[in-house]
Amino acid sequence: MIVVDFECTCEKDRRDYPNEIIEFPAILIDVRNGAKIVKEKSFRSYAKPWRNPQLTSFCTELTGISQQHVEKAPDLQTVVKNFEAWYRRNIPLGAKVMMMTDGPWDFRNFVLAGAVKRDHVAFPTLMYEYIDVRTTFANYFNKGKPVKLEKMLHRFNLRFEGREHCGFDDAVNIARLAVAMMRHGCIFSFVIALPLDEDTYHYKMDVTPLYRREAGNSGVVEKSHVEERAKECFGEAYYEYGRSTFVKKAEDEASDDADAPEVEAVMKEAEEALAKLEVVSSDSEAEEGAPALTEEELLAQKERREKRIARRRSRNQQEAKIYDRRSEDLKKAEESKALRKTRSKKSPSQKLLQMATANSWIVVAAILPILLYLVAKFFL
């Protein structure tokens, strides 16, 4: 997994501010080797904004990114290309990779809406699907209610390490959360798929298959579907990566104690695992001499397959509806919070009027004697 958390240009109380990505971190999680965070091989780069090249004081104070950081940085398109070069250097050919972030904002708002559609920056399709750790946490551990990163970490007795709103530190803590969730039995199977038909700037890297569902929408992606996509993309390289992984594991375990009696068992286990990874062509799946299926058996087999597909499609649709509903609830809650915050900021005259309205009996008690005096003086 690759965890990202973009930092962007911003201004206080400006929801319509044209955010531009100014920090691009990518933290590696090696899932095959015990879900380990590989910080030393991770990626980080600042990016130079062009719409608002001068950072606001609010942005610098919030993110810790200074004007010197961005002025010396390359533009965002160059940063994306540098990320792609880093990916090719550090991700073995044949490895299954998925992006991860906290919430939908990084890829939906900052990448697709801002960088791609508005500024015409080209991104690889690798970043057009990702896992939303906040929604997954809500579904697995918090009865469907999304909460912020600090509270999610607290659920596993973890504290935020580093500086909040520093993209690299945020990504590291999201990775720590993801590892803790996996160790508590969480399965990251719900993939958010951004549409590919809304822009012409994305491009496909030759070593990154898309694992989204057949319909191309967000939803639960089954392991068998992921395996099929990986085999289609990598071919023999997919199996070579499996071989190297199992052989390296056996060698590492054997090198820990060369005289241990378990060495032979470990090597035997590795050989059995390698045998399972051998390529089996579709033409040789059926054993030679096996009796051909009758027409009725073929029809029954087809019906069972169609039922399985229908059940899977129905489940995926339900999961997608749940995610959309929860995302909409989260969006409404944020809008309501922003509205309350806006209403709480009143001018001095509004505050005076509010005080007068709240204490209307005092106003009446103060004005009534004056009115009675004027009326008595007028008639008398």
Short mmCIF file of all heavy atoms in Angstrom, two decimals, residues 250 262-274:
data_model
loop_
_atom_site.label_atom_id
_atom_site.label_comp_id
_atom_site.label_asym_id
_atom_site.label_seq_id
_atom_site.Cartn_x
_atom_site.Cartn_y
_atom_site.Cartn_z
N ALA A 250 12.17 -17.96 2.93
CA ALA A 250 12.79 -19.20 3.39
C ALA A 250 14.27 -18.99 3.71
O ALA A 250 14.77 -19.49 4.72
CB ALA A 250 12.63 -20.28 2.32
N GLU A 262 14.30 -26.71 11.98
CA GLU A 262 13.14 -26.25 11.22
C GLU A 262 13.52 -25.80 9.81
O GLU A 262 12.65 -25.50 9.00
CB GLU A 262 12.47 -25.07 11.94
CG GLU A 262 11.82 -25.44 13.25
CD GLU A 262 12.82 -25.38 14.41
OE1 GLU A 262 14.00 -25.09 14.13
OE2 GLU A 262 12.41 -25.65 15.54
N VAL A 263 14.81 -25.69 9.51
CA VAL A 263 15.24 -25.17 8.21
C VAL A 263 14.68 -26.01 7.08
O VAL A 263 14.15 -25.50 6.09
CB VAL A 263 16.78 -25.12 8.13
CG1 VAL A 263 17.22 -24.76 6.71
CG2 VAL A 263 17.31 -24.10 9.12
N GLU A 264 14.80 -27.34 7.21
CA GLU A 264 14.32 -28.21 6.15
C GLU A 264 12.83 -28.06 5.94
O GLU A 264 12.33 -28.04 4.81
CB GLU A 264 14.66 -29.67 6.51
CG GLU A 264 14.31 -30.66 5.40
CD GLU A 264 14.73 -32.07 5.76
OE1 GLU A 264 15.43 -32.25 6.78
OE2 GLU A 264 14.34 -32.99 5.01
N ALA A 265 12.08 -27.91 7.05
CA ALA A 265 10.62 -27.74 6.95
C ALA A 265 10.28 -26.43 6.27
O ALA A 265 9.34 -26.34 5.47
CB ALA A 265 9.98 -27.80 8.34
N VAL A 266 11.04 -25.38 6.60
CA VAL A 266 10.79 -24.07 5.98
C VAL A 266 11.01 -24.12 4.48
O VAL A 266 10.21 -23.61 3.69
CB VAL A 266 11.70 -23.00 6.62
CG1 VAL A 266 11.62 -21.68 5.85
CG2 VAL A 266 11.30 -22.76 8.07
N MET A 267 12.12 -24.76 4.06
CA MET A 267 12.40 -24.87 2.63
C MET A 267 11.34 -25.71 1.91
O MET A 267 10.95 -25.42 0.79
CB MET A 267 13.79 -25.49 2.43
CG MET A 267 14.93 -24.60 2.95
SD MET A 267 14.96 -22.96 2.20
CE MET A 267 15.30 -23.38 0.51
N LYS A 268 10.88 -26.77 2.59
CA LYS A 268 9.84 -27.60 1.99
C LYS A 268 8.55 -26.81 1.81
O LYS A 268 7.87 -26.91 0.79
CB LYS A 268 9.59 -28.83 2.88
CG LYS A 268 8.59 -29.80 2.28
CD LYS A 268 8.42 -31.02 3.17
CE LYS A 268 7.41 -32.00 2.55
NZ LYS A 268 7.22 -33.19 3.41
N GLU A 269 8.21 -25.99 2.81
CA GLU A 269 7.02 -25.15 2.72
C GLU A 269 7.14 -24.17 1.56
O GLU A 269 6.18 -23.92 0.82
CB GLU A 269 6.82 -24.39 4.03
CG GLU A 269 5.58 -23.48 4.03
CD GLU A 269 5.48 -22.69 5.31
OE1 GLU A 269 6.27 -22.96 6.24
OE2 GLU A 269 4.60 -21.81 5.38
N ALA A 270 8.34 -23.60 1.39
CA ALA A 270 8.56 -22.67 0.28
C ALA A 270 8.40 -23.36 -1.06
O ALA A 270 7.81 -22.80 -1.99
CB ALA A 270 9.95 -22.06 0.40
N GLU A 271 8.93 -24.59 -1.17
CA GLU A 271 8.80 -25.32 -2.43
C GLU A 271 7.34 -25.61 -2.75
O GLU A 271 6.91 -25.52 -3.90
CB GLU A 271 9.61 -26.62 -2.34
CG GLU A 271 11.12 -26.40 -2.31
CD GLU A 271 11.87 -27.70 -2.10
OE1 GLU A 271 11.20 -28.75 -1.96
OE2 GLU A 271 13.12 -27.68 -2.06
N GLU A 272 6.56 -25.97 -1.73
CA GLU A 272 5.14 -26.24 -1.95
C GLU A 272 4.41 -24.96 -2.40
O GLU A 272 3.54 -25.00 -3.26
CB GLU A 272 4.51 -26.79 -0.67
CG GLU A 272 5.00 -28.18 -0.29
CD GLU A 272 4.44 -28.63 1.04
OE1 GLU A 272 3.74 -27.83 1.70
OE2 GLU A 272 4.69 -29.80 1.42
N ALA A 273 4.79 -23.83 -1.78
CA ALA A 273 4.16 -22.57 -2.17
C ALA A 273 4.51 -22.19 -3.60
O ALA A 273 3.67 -21.69 -4.34
CB ALA A 273 4.61 -21.46 -1.20
N LEU A 274 5.76 -22.47 -3.98
CA LEU A 274 6.17 -22.17 -5.35
C LEU A 274 5.41 -23.02 -6.35
O LEU A 274 5.06 -22.58 -7.43
CB LEU A 274 7.68 -22.41 -5.51
CG LEU A 274 8.59 -21.44 -4.74
CD1 LEU A 274 10.05 -21.83 -4.97
CD2 LEU A 274 8.36 -20.02 -5.20
#
